[in-house]
Each structure stands twice: as structure tokens, then as C-alpha cells.
Amino acid sequence: MYCLQWLLPVLLIPKPLNPALWFNHSMFMGFYLLSFLLERKPCTICALVFLAALFLICYSCWGNCFLYHCQDATLPDAAHDPAIIGT
């Protein structure tokens, strides 16, 4: 499970509050995962554990799914702050 230590931080990096940065964040995470899978070639068990965790987080809309924003999920209160969105 050595290779899993490089995949778990992907699930813990928070999604940006500014909705304009969500596309950039998802592209960065996608390219990181693709380059990791091509370069390090993690074992099958680690890849399956990570994909199962990613699927559960994205399917339940609980947490930060970096692939898309769930329609039913509410934005944090700080997302409506003009000081944050203007930056």
C-alpha cells in the first residue's frame, strides 16, 4: 500500500471556494492522477481502493468531488462573499 500514500492527498485537497476555479482545479487533479498512473503504475489493490473511495465521495455528493459540482450540494457561506469572488 505504499503507492496509496500518493493518492490519498488527492481526496483531501479542498475544492476552491471561487466557482470560476473549479474547472482549473478539476483539470489539475485529473492530469495529476493521469500522470501518476502512467509514471508510478500503482498496484491493482491501491488503484481499486482509490477509485472506490473517489466513486463513493462523488456519488454521495458529500465532501469535495473534484470531478464536478453536485447540483443538490450547497455552496459554503464564504462562496457568496464578494471579497473572495473578486480575487
Side-chain angles (χ1 to χ4, degrees), residues 14-47:
K15 198 188 297 187
L17 290 177
N18 189 345
L21 297 176
W22 288 346
F23 178 75
N24 293 339
H25 178 73
S26 64
M27 292 301 291
F28 173 75
M29 290 297 174
F31 283 132
Y32 174 81
L33 286 175
L34 181 66
S35 65
F36 176 81
L37 292 174
L38 291 175
E39 180 183 346
R40 301 279 176 131
K41 296 180 180 70
C43 63
T44 307
I45 294 173
C46 292

Side-chain angles (χ1 to χ4, degrees), residues 68-82:
Y68 59 89
H69 178 71
C70 298
Q71 297 298 330
D72 298 336
T74 59
L75 292 173
D77 293 333
H80 301 293
D81 186 9

